[in-house]
Amino acid sequence: MGNIFTAEREHKTPALWQALLSFAGLVVVMAVGIIKFEVDPHIPMFIGVIIAAVMAMVLGYNWAEIEKMMVDGISKAMQSLLILAIVGMMIGTWLMAGTIPTMIYYGLKLLSPKVFLIATVLICSITSLATGTSWGTMGTMGLALIGIGQGLGMPVGPTAGAVLAGAYFGDKLSPLSDTTNLAPAMAGTDVFTHVKYMLKSTLVAYGAALIFFGVYGFMHASGGNVDASQAAVIMEGIKNTFHISPVLLLPPLVVILAIALKVPAIPGITLGMLVAAVMAPFAQTDLAIFSSDLELLHNGVNLGDLLSAALNGFFCNTEVEAINSLLTTGGLMNMSSSILMTIIAMMFGGIMEGSGQLAVIINTVSGRIRSDAGMIAATEATCILSNTVMPEQYISILVPGRMYAPAYRERGIHPKSLSNALESAGTVTSCLIPWNTCGLFIANTLGVTAAVYAPWAVFNYLMPVICLIMAFMGITVTKMTPEEQAKADAGELV
């Protein structure tokens, strides 16, 4: 056995069946683990790493070489890992300062009887942009809006579709979102370039969804007063807990300004965190500070509270459970699951790439593709297939991203075109699969199954379609300049 792990042997070029066997092993383990046993995807993904490593040994690689492949794979996602860590710290700080509660509070003020579905999209958009999480948005604002819609006599399907449109719009564009950071890391670009490039197709799909829900909502409006008691309770709870002021919107404005000025992601996000940290002690002088077991520590924010929130997140304890669920989040430790998932997935991707297994699959697929737009189509199809057979949103971004990044570089296509395709198909279609973790979460949280809400998930359907159409129009396919090509070939972010 020692020779298998240490001996220098001739490296074999993998056959297509060998590469597909590694992927098939990952698919089976992920499907069984997530669907049948309902476990988190981390350990099934690690078993996939073992399968890929065994296949690499069969191809003649020793353990030192395989270990280097894994380390190289992880290093390619290092910027994303750092951003995820800093974003976790920033969310905790923004909550402590009252920035996120202020954004949600003003978002709820948009509620209007005659434009309920549009308001639902906007409220969920603001909440998701502020928190960076579609799940948190659906589990709090979405749940409240489902109840309000029922009070209006609005069918639950359209209401849920409007919730999804806002939740996934924000999740797709927010620099606080893990998927928004993972996609550019897999493709080889930075998060701000990724977000700006996504605006082209995302705003078209979002505008079409707003028009659809506006027309449908107006046609079915009862004309009576909206039973906005749940939203009112949330607003009152937020106002009673935090000091609410437009001034507290300064931290996200600083991050937006950083994006506009092309400040790199890490210092831009850190700057937004520091601005909130400076404001917090002065803005939230009476804020109740709780420990992780919800024991009241004291009132008012000090430096120790900010350091704790940056590490462990903010702990909210009010009489309104929806507020507690939404605002008890953030912190470096709460990002650990996403960070670890990325590390394990990149171990798998590193082995598949380093042993030549990815290249065999990519060459087989890309060899049949005749156009750059066809690459976008293949990417989106792979993302949707991944959401179906490996039912976890992260995997639909991580695995296709690593698969197609080399092919995009060879064709001279800018990595932002790849990251846009990953999010346009991977992030937003996960909820359309009933057995995907996102579909299961929505069914359990909103009490609405995929069979009911999927026909109304207009934004989620339109996003990959519009991205593909715009690809054939040449809008979402961008060629790299010679300088960008050189950076991409050197493994640098473009």
Side-chain angles (χ1 to χ4, degrees):
M1 289 294 292
N3 288 336
I4 296 178
F5 288 98
T6 60
E8 296 288 340
R9 294 182 292 158
E10 180 183 356
H11 298 165
K12 302 175 184 177
T13 300
L16 178 60
W17 71 265
Q18 291 174 309
L20 291 176
L21 184 60
S22 294
F23 265 111
L26 175 65
V27 169
V28 171
V29 173
M30 291 288 290
V32 171
I34 295 175
I35 298 175
K36 179 173 177 58
F37 296 108
E38 300 181 355
V39 299
D40 290 333
H42 300 68
I43 304 305
M45 188 77 214
F46 183 70
I47 296 174
V49 173
I50 296 173
I51 295 171
V54 170
M55 183 60 72
M57 288 184 176
V58 172
L59 295 171
Y61 293 89
N62 61 34
W63 177 248
E65 293 170 322
I66 294 171
E67 189 174 89
K68 185 178 185 302
M69 294 174 195
M70 292 189 289
V71 173
D72 289 343
I74 295 170
S75 68
K76 292 177 181 177
M78 190 53 65
Q79 186 195 48
S80 176
L81 297 174
L82 294 173
I83 290 174
L84 284 172
I86 296 171
V87 164
M89 292 186 277
M90 186 179 72
I91 292 174
T93 307
W94 281 19
L95 286 165
M96 186 71 74
T99 294
I100 291 176
T102 295
M103 296 177 75
I104 295 172
Y105 179 85
Y106 288 132
L108 285 171
K109 279 185 171 292
L110 294 173
L111 192 63
S112 173
K114 293 185 178 180
V115 290
F116 170 71
L117 290 180
I118 287 184
T120 295
V121 176
L122 294 175
I123 289 168
C124 290
S125 298
I126 292 171
T127 304
S128 190
L129 282 168
T131 61
T133 168
S134 57
W135 284 26
T137 299
M138 291 184 288
T140 52
M141 294 296 103
L143 190 59
L145 290 164
I146 288 287
I148 293 171
Q150 291 175 339
L152 274 175
M154 189 69 68
V156 68
T159 304
V163 169
L164 264 60
Y168 278 95
F169 171 78
D171 188 17
K172 190 173 185 289
L173 289 180
S174 175
L176 307 183
S177 168
D178 44 13
T179 57
T180 305
N181 286 282
L182 290 177
M186 296 304 101
T189 188
D190 66 272
V191 65
F192 288 167
T193 298
H194 169 60
V195 169
K196 286 187 289 185
Y197 195 72
M198 282 197 298
L199 286 173
K200 300 175 183 178
S201 54
T202 304
L203 289 179
V204 173
Y206 188 67
L210 282 175
I211 292 172
F212 173 83
F213 287 116
V215 172
Y216 182 89
F218 181 81
M219 292 173 57
H220 288 79
S222 64
N225 295 324
V226 176
D227 178 15
S229 58
Q230 296 183 63
V233 168
I234 292 174
M235 291 175 63
E236 188 66 21
I238 289 176
K239 192 173 183 180
N240 290 338
T241 305
F242 298 89
H243 173 68
I244 304 298
S245 169
V247 177
L248 294 174
L249 299 176
L250 180 60
L253 291 177
V254 168
V255 175
I256 293 171
L257 182 62
I259 295 175
L261 295 178
K262 299 183 178 180
V263 175
I266 291 177
I269 295 172
T270 301
L271 186 59
M273 176 181 67
L274 294 177
V275 170
V278 171
M279 298 175 65
F282 304 100
Q284 305 299 334
T285 55
D286 297 322
L287 180 64
I289 306 299
F290 292 90
S291 64
S292 58
D293 57 3
L294 301 183
E295 176 186 354
L296 179 62
L297 301 177
H298 56 84
N299 291 322
V301 178
N302 58 39
L303 177 59
D305 299 325
L306 288 167
L307 295 176
S308 178
L311 177 63
N312 298 311
F314 179 75
F315 299 98
C316 188
N317 186 23
T318 70
E319 296 180 355
V320 184
E321 185 57 36
I323 296 177
N324 300 337
S325 299
L326 179 64
L327 302 184
T328 299
T329 186
L332 174 61
M333 298 309 295
N334 281 325
M335 281 294 184
S336 61
S337 179
S338 295
I339 291 172
L340 292 172
M341 183 67 222
T342 304
I343 290 174
I344 298 171
M346 293 310 297
M347 290 166 62
F348 176 83
I351 295 173
M352 293 295 291
E353 186 173 359
S355 62
Q357 297 181 69
L358 265 181
V360 172
I361 297 175
I362 292 169
N363 292 338
T364 301
V365 174
S366 60
R368 301 175 182 272
I369 297 173
R370 299 290 178 254
S371 66
D372 292 341
M375 285 297 299
I376 302 295
T379 303
E380 290 192 343
T382 305
C383 290
I384 295 171
L385 180 63
S386 177
N387 266 326
T388 303
V389 299
M390 293 185 290
E392 165 59 42
Q393 185 184 64
Y394 294 149
I395 306 303
S396 71
I397 294 174
L398 291 166
V399 173
R402 294 310 310 153
M403 280 180 60
Y404 287 105
Y408 275 68
R409 285 197 300 271
E410 289 180 8
R411 286 178 172 265
I413 305 175
H414 199 290
K416 63 187 178 183
S417 300
L418 171 58
S419 64
N420 181 41
L422 293 174
E423 283 244 76
S424 297
T427 299
V428 301
T429 63
S430 57
C431 64
L432 302 177
I433 312 300
W435 54 87
N436 189 284
T437 52
C438 292
L440 293 170
F441 173 84
I442 294 169
N444 293 331
T445 303
L446 298 184
V448 186
T449 64
V452 175
Y453 68 71
W456 303 94
V458 178
F459 175 78
N460 304 72
Y461 280 124
L462 286 179
M463 196 64 257
V465 173
I466 288 175
C467 179
L468 183 57
I469 292 174
M470 294 177 75
F472 281 99
M473 295 171 62
I475 299 174
T476 54
V477 178
T478 301
K479 288 288 190 178
M480 287 187 282
T481 63
E483 294 79 10
E484 290 172 334
Q485 184 74 62
K487 290 179 65 178
D489 290 341
E492 300 176 14
L493 294 182
V494 180

